[in-house]
Amino acid sequence: MERLPSLLSPLSSFRSSAALRPVASAAAAHFQIARASFGSSGQMEAEQYKFGPYKIDSKEVFYSTDLSYALVNLRPLLPGHVLVCPRREVKRFVDLTTEETSDLWISAQKIGRLLENYHKASSLTFAIQDGPQAGQTVPHVHIHIVPRKGGDFENNDEIYEAIDEKEKELKKTLDLDKERKDRSMEEMAKEADEYRKLFS
């Protein structure tokens, strides 16, 4: 059997605009490139996005691949707080395919690096709430990416409680079909437009 290349070194230094996807063949395993999209908002407007049972306006999406997409947050904890989701509606992390898991984390790594620099942050928080008892309120896997700076929370671990609280508020907002009070679509679209420029 042909030896597969090590995944750690290529993925940790992955700098291109695409993600690797393993594809099995009869002879051996090969790697394909998953197309990434981060061009103009017009290109993304043609695509449909869902976050659990909710339709996401394409103006909120600033990055996508064949398997994942990233959107600005309705109620961000800190500047640059975004979400990365698989395109396929998957409730639990363990139900993602290997290809989806790889693409999701490669996307999160790339997005996090660019947003940390853009917001002049010094660290990143990556968080997943996997299931209702973990605080997940929208039944669709998503990674929270939050650029961090010294002093943004008195105790660094308070961010996890804050994420849990924002998730609960978001669920109430969506369930009650109230207007978005924290941020307007115009504000979120403007932020997404700025982030799209980071990938060009």
Side-chain angles (χ1 to χ4, degrees):
M1 185 166 117
E2 187 178 315
R3 188 168 175 244
L4 292 176
S6 169
L7 288 180
L8 293 179
S9 57
L11 297 184
S12 63
S13 62
F14 195 69
R15 301 270 189 255
S16 77
S17 63
L20 294 176
R21 266 197 311 183
V23 177
S25 71
H30 301 280
F31 287 93
Q32 281 186 343
I33 300 291
R35 180 178 46 88
S37 306
F38 33 78
S40 70
S41 59
Q43 290 172 310
M44 292 198 172
E45 286 175 14
E47 299 188 52
Q48 298 291 317
Y49 301 94
K50 287 193 72 178
F51 183 45
Y54 310 107
K55 184 178 178 199
I56 297 299
D57 192 306
S58 59
K59 293 175 189 167
E60 299 171 69
V61 176
F62 63 90
Y63 178 87
S64 68
T65 69
D66 290 339
L67 299 174
S68 304
Y69 71 94
L71 68 153
V72 296
N73 202 320
L74 174 64
R75 297 180 176 194
L77 294 173
L78 295 169
H81 179 188
V82 300
L83 304 176
V84 182
C85 311
R87 283 184 178 259
R88 184 171 66 96
E89 187 179 330
V90 180
K91 293 179 182 180
R92 299 290 310 278
F93 183 77
V94 297
D95 296 325
L96 292 170
T97 66
T98 302
E99 293 83 7
E100 288 170 324
T101 303
S102 294
D103 190 76
L104 192 70
W105 281 108
I106 289 169
S107 295
Q109 179 189 42
K110 182 175 191 163
I111 292 162
R113 179 177 52 247
L114 291 172
L115 291 181
E116 179 178 352
N117 185 50
Y118 180 82
H119 288 284
K120 297 177 178 38
S122 58
S123 300
L124 293 166
T125 293
F126 294 90
I128 295 179
Q129 295 161 300
D130 192 31
Q133 286 69 42
Q136 181 184 23
T137 56
V138 178
H140 191 142
V141 172
H142 54 286
I143 301 172
H144 292 263
I145 302 176
V146 187
R148 304 290 304 276
K149 296 178 182 179
D152 55 17
F153 279 85
E154 188 174 326
N155 175 349
N156 270 334
D157 285 344
E158 288 175 359
I159 192 157
Y160 301 109
E161 186 177 315
I163 288 172
D164 187 43
E165 191 58 39
K166 289 290 183 186
E167 286 269 325
K168 289 176 187 171
E169 289 175 17
L170 179 63
K171 174 96 169 112
K172 287 178 187 173
T173 299
L174 294 171
D175 284 349
L176 297 175
D177 201 26
K178 291 181 181 176
E179 285 187 36
R180 297 177 174 197
K181 293 181 180 179
D182 285 11
R183 301 202 321 157
S184 68
M185 178 55 68
E186 181 181 331
E187 187 178 5
M188 291 189 297
K190 182 179 177 185
E191 181 182 18
D193 281 340
E194 285 300 310
Y195 292 162
R196 275 187 213 102
K197 293 174 190 173
L198 299 176
F199 297 94
S200 54

